[in-house]
Amino acid sequence: MGSANLTIDLDAIVANWRALDAMTNCETAAVVKADGYGLGAERVAKALAQAGARRFFVAVAEEGAAVRNALGPNADILVFGGHMRGDTDMINDLYLTPMLNSLDQLTRHFEALPNAPFGIQLDSGMNRLGMESPEWDAVRDIVASQGPVLVMSHLACADTPDHAMNRQQLARFRAMTDDMTAPRSLAATGGILLGPEYHFDLTRPGIGLYGGLPFADAQPVASLSLPVIQTRDLVAGETVGYGNTWTTNTSATIATLSGGYADGLMRALGNGATLWANDIACPLVGRVSMDLITVDISHLHEVPRHLDILGPLQTVDALAEKAGTIGYEILTSLGPRYTRRYSGGFAQ
Ligand SMILES: *Cc1c(COP(=O)(O)O)cnc(C)c1O
């Protein structure tokens, strides 16, 4: 097998969902956008549905179609991007629930599908998606009369608990919605950790389910193991890889592994990331190529068949730090060439 193995522990995802659910007294949904943060939306959604999750969020209607396929009729699938031009048939045929973000979307939805469920996304200060106060004021009575299934907003700085923006957005969200009877939602993973004031009726964790920060107590979910294709012995003074960016000053054994920047192992990981042979650290040397990386295994007694780049000894956030990014980007960059395997009782 030339491609790397990405093992996804569905029991860990379920345990993370339950742990986040146990922190609140309200409903806990699951965010499965971007193909379940790169780990496979259909398998993740099925496992969480089996564990009791009833509402699933995706970014766009097309993602919702894939999740509906996996889950069948007995789950609510909500679309953050709302009701876009061209989405009407998919929303109607697959019972997707758009979060309407603007007057345009509101008009489109009410005209095309007057009796279909919808939610509302409000902008409480992030300036990204959702209606702002003036347009909201103009339509809130009409919206209220149509019975939205959810009124939600999103926090910009929830991963920084002391950030003043959290309280500002909470206050603004309350001012925009306190007189509504519809269920409300403000918290993603970070917001859950901010405490009960932020929980309202429904939380929307994503990254915490998949083992990432800011949920520091999350169980790790993804393990990525790269096969060794070939090894070679170098003498002092030889270089490795494109641009000759690494030179050995002793004799060395270099392993060439399947997996590169086309698989989400960013070029920024070159000359700095660590791979693991069980519990022995091995440095990535030279540049990351499109399909390959090179690793110094001089100190190992035998050539391993695989080296691990994600696992219990290197979490998605630890790897992210080495690439100058965040766990979210590591996960959602995990490429389509990996063989995704699912482990745990929830994989049955
Ligand atoms: C991505 C997203 C979430 C989930 O956020 P996490 O930080 O991954 O928990 C929740 N709500 C909205 C609007 C999002 O875009």
Side-chain angles (χ1 to χ4, degrees):
M1 281 281 293
S3 65
N5 280 328
L6 175 58
T7 305
I8 295 134
D9 184 346
L10 291 175
D11 289 3
I13 293 180
V14 166
N16 291 334
W17 182 79
R18 286 180 172 150
L20 291 165
D21 184 50
M23 290 179 195
T24 73
N25 290 316
C26 66
E27 183 183 345
T28 303
V31 178
V32 294
K33 63 191 179 186
D35 197 23
Y37 288 46
L39 300 181
E42 295 165 35
R43 297 299 298 266
V44 169
K46 265 189 184 170
L48 289 173
Q50 230 178 304
R54 283 290 162 264
R55 287 205 252 192
F56 296 86
F57 285 91
V58 293
V60 294
E62 288 80 357
E63 292 181 338
V67 174
R68 173 63 73 210
N69 232 352
L71 292 181
N74 296 323
D76 290 336
I77 298 171
L78 303 97
V79 182
F80 287 136
H83 190 148
M84 297 284 283
R85 190 194 296 275
D87 281 352
T88 302
D89 285 348
M90 214 183 316
I91 288 172
N92 190 47
D93 296 349
L94 300 173
Y95 310 105
L96 306 180
T97 305
M99 299 289 110
L100 305 177
N101 289 296
S102 64
L103 295 189
D104 261 8
Q105 290 198 346
L106 200 74
T107 309
R108 182 179 296 131
H109 190 75
F110 287 2
E111 284 180 357
L113 301 171
N115 297 310
F118 68 95
I120 295 286
Q121 185 157 201
L122 300 176
D123 185 352
S124 54
M126 189 172 181
N127 285 316
R128 193 180 67 167
L129 272 184
M131 289 184 222
E132 296 183 28
S133 279
E135 53 183 341
W136 176 234
D137 286 343
V139 298
R140 58 200 284 166
D141 292 343
I142 302 166
V143 166
S145 73
Q146 300 296 313
V149 301
L150 189 71
V151 178
M152 60 164 280
S153 187
H154 193 50
L155 298 168
C157 303
D159 57 353
T160 311
D162 295 335
H163 203 298
M165 183 68 164
N166 294 322
R167 299 214 70 80
Q168 270 174 42
Q169 284 193 267
L170 176 62
R172 201 171 298 175
F173 184 60
R174 295 207 79 119
M176 291 170 93
T177 60
D178 266 351
D179 61 348
M180 303 283 296
T181 55
R184 293 186 285 178
S185 175
L186 181 61
T189 303
I192 294 172
L193 304 172
L194 292 179
E197 285 173 294
Y198 289 84
H199 295 166
F200 295 91
D201 302 297
L202 176 87
T203 63
R204 314 181 308 269
I207 192 70
L209 306 176
Y210 307 100
L213 289 174
F215 184 26
D217 295 333
Q219 292 189 20
V221 167
S223 319
L224 179 58
S225 188
L226 310 178
V228 175
I229 299 178
Q230 196 183 11
T231 61
R232 64 211 340 99
D233 295 319
L234 273 52
V235 298
E238 286 196 89
T239 57
V240 172
Y242 283 123
N244 289 3
T245 60
W246 187 79
T247 308
T248 183
N249 51 21
T250 60
S251 59
T253 304
I254 300 300
T256 303
L257 276 50
S258 179
Y261 60 76
D263 305 295
L265 306 177
M266 293 89 178
R267 273 181 98 249
L269 292 168
N271 284 317
T274 302
L275 285 96
W276 296 86
N278 297 316
D279 57 353
I280 306 174
C282 304
L284 194 164
V285 296
R287 284 198 183 144
V288 173
S289 304
M290 187 185 294
D291 320 299
L292 300 166
I293 57 172
T294 37
V295 179
D296 185 352
I297 58 162
S298 308
H299 53 304
L300 301 184
H301 296 303
E302 55 187 80
V303 176
R305 286 168 64 177
H306 292 85
L307 291 167
D308 300 328
I309 192 158
L310 288 176
L313 293 175
Q314 185 158 262
T315 63
V316 290
D317 292 290
L319 187 64
E321 201 171 307
K322 292 189 170 158
T325 181
I326 54 176
Y328 295 76
E329 193 179 19
I330 294 287
L331 285 173
T332 57
S333 302
L334 292 169
R337 288 198 289 203
Y338 297 137
T339 306
R340 283 162 170 73
R341 296 176 197 282
Y342 295 87
S343 68
F346 279 92
Q348 304 316 309

